Amino acid sequence: MSDLLTRLRGRGWRMTSQRRVVAEVLDGDHVHLTADEVHARAAQRLPEISRATVYNTLGELVLLGEVTEVTTDGRAKRYDPNAHHPHQHLVCSRCGIIRDVHPAGDPLTGLPAAERFGFTVTEVEITYRGVCPACA
Amino acid sequence: MSDLLTRLRGRGWRMTSQRRVVAEVLDGDHVHLTADEVHARAAQRLPEISRATVYNTLGELVLLGEVTEVTTDGRAKRYDPNAHHPHQHLVCSRCGIIRDVHPAGDPLTGLPAAERFGFTVTEVEITYRGVCPACA
DNA sequence: ATCCTACGATAGACAAAGTTCAAGTCAAGA
DNA sequence: TCTTGACTTGAACTTTGTCTATCGTAGGAT
């Protein structure tokens, strides 16, 4: 994710220790942390980091398109750093574990013109639900 | 939705004025109210109804499969009474209006076995996003 | 290398959405 | 009509997120 840090600096981001730590916490695939979880992990490295800063930084990363928000359970939003690889989510109804998945074809084409009601449709968000092997 | 009332009574529901009013507020298609909106409308007919009762009743209706929860914006959950007619949602990114839509085919088949990671997948929830004619 | 200053961080108050609980009320069967 | 357990109430509480005034500092200017 050092990629991300250089990309952000290139966009005029002022680099602070707080922002660096938040970006590092979000490193990797299949990461779907809530804001509080990001804060907890960031605080392990930088104990004095505040909740407000974590929220601010996450919000900026979303605006920059580096991270996407995912709401799978109507509770806290989760932050998914895998924003440059379009994907959907598969969630276990029992334990809540989340997997990134890739449906066949372009999900947007599944919606016929007659069902678009004049909307200009640009995005699809799909959540598949079921029971994971561990819970079965 | 008097159907609903008789169905519920048949399932042993104790019929109270509060529950009746909540069920009546949720009558109709293309209804996507938040719990607070349900409470506000219910309170027009039954001023002393409490928030807790509205939450309890909505939760029971969801458990009974009569209503589904929809989260389109990461804010309050919305309650969709159209649970017996499988459908998905199309949301305007500007004004937030929600339309029920029906994609072609069974959305579950869009996820190849290789992408299921051993899950038993039973549900799909799709949110299409775009700009509605009024906002364009 | 040091200084400036605007941008970022902080703590704490605030707000929105939802849950819990003890006490009171009432639907429906006897 | 009586009884009883299921239902409702309101207030306090929790969780998640936002706002604001103040303080600190990254990074360009000197």
Side-chain angles (χ1 to χ4, degrees):
Chain A
M1 202 136 185
S2 53
D3 285 349
L4 173 56
L5 293 178
T6 55
R7 263 206 308 282
L8 294 174
R9 207 186 312 252
R11 296 209 215 177
W13 240 39
R14 192 148 136 186
M15 190 52 55
T16 67
S17 54
Q18 292 85 349
R19 286 175 166 185
R20 188 175 0 256
V21 167
V22 169
E24 284 168 3
V25 164
L26 285 175
D27 193 7
D29 285 355
H30 301 295
V31 173
H32 305 96
L33 299 171
T34 64
D36 256 17
E37 287 165 352
V38 171
H39 179 245
R41 298 197 184 191
Q44 287 174 3
R45 292 159 163 253
L46 195 64
E48 68 277 19
I49 193 173
S50 72
R51 289 187 336 119
T53 296
V54 170
Y55 277 105
N56 287 341
T57 305
L58 289 172
E60 287 156 14
L61 289 170
V62 169
L63 281 183
L64 291 171
E66 297 289 348
V67 162
T68 54
E69 289 178 343
V70 188
T71 308
T72 55
D73 61 350
R75 310 265 315 204
K77 291 177 196 163
R78 294 182 173 273
Y79 292 85
D80 185 337
N82 205 4
H84 294 299
H85 300 271
H87 62 276
Q88 306 299 337
H89 294 104
L90 171 55
V91 180
C92 176
S93 320
R94 300 251 175 88
C95 67
I97 195 179
I98 304 173
R99 302 264 347 193
D100 289 357
V101 294
H102 304 82
D106 179 1
L108 259 183
T109 64
L111 191 65
E115 286 285 328
R116 299 193 177 197
F117 300 99
F119 280 57
T120 306
V121 186
T122 52
E123 291 172 63
V124 205
E125 206 182 300
I126 308 184
T127 305
Y128 299 93
R129 287 178 202 284
V131 179
C132 74
C135 288
Chain B
M1 199 141 186
S2 53
D3 284 349
L4 173 57
L5 293 178
T6 55
R7 264 206 305 283
L8 294 174
R9 207 185 311 252
R11 295 209 215 178
W13 241 39
R14 192 147 137 188
M15 190 49 56
T16 66
S17 54
Q18 291 85 349
R19 287 175 165 183
R20 185 172 6 251
V21 167
V22 169
E24 283 168 3
V25 164
L26 285 175
D27 193 8
D29 286 355
H30 303 295
V31 173
H32 305 95
L33 300 172
T34 64
D36 256 18
E37 287 165 352
V38 171
H39 179 245
R41 298 198 185 190
Q44 288 175 4
R45 292 160 163 252
L46 195 64
E48 67 279 19
I49 193 172
S50 73
R51 291 184 337 115
T53 295
V54 171
Y55 277 106
N56 287 341
T57 305
L58 289 173
E60 287 157 13
L61 288 170
V62 169
L63 282 183
L64 291 172
E66 296 289 349
V67 161
T68 55
E69 289 179 344
V70 188
T71 309
T72 55
D73 61 351
R75 311 266 315 204
K77 291 178 197 163
R78 294 182 172 274
Y79 293 86
D80 184 339
N82 205 4
H84 294 298
H85 301 271
H87 63 276
Q88 306 299 336
H89 294 105
L90 170 56
V91 180
C92 176
S93 321
R94 301 251 176 88
C95 67
I97 193 179
I98 303 172
R99 302 262 350 191
D100 290 356
V101 294
H102 304 82
D106 180 0
L108 261 182
T109 65
L111 192 64
E115 286 284 329
R116 299 194 177 197
F117 301 100
F119 280 57
T120 306
V121 185
T122 52
E123 291 172 63
V124 205
E125 206 183 299
I126 307 183
T127 305
Y128 299 93
R129 287 178 201 285
V131 179
C132 74
C135 287

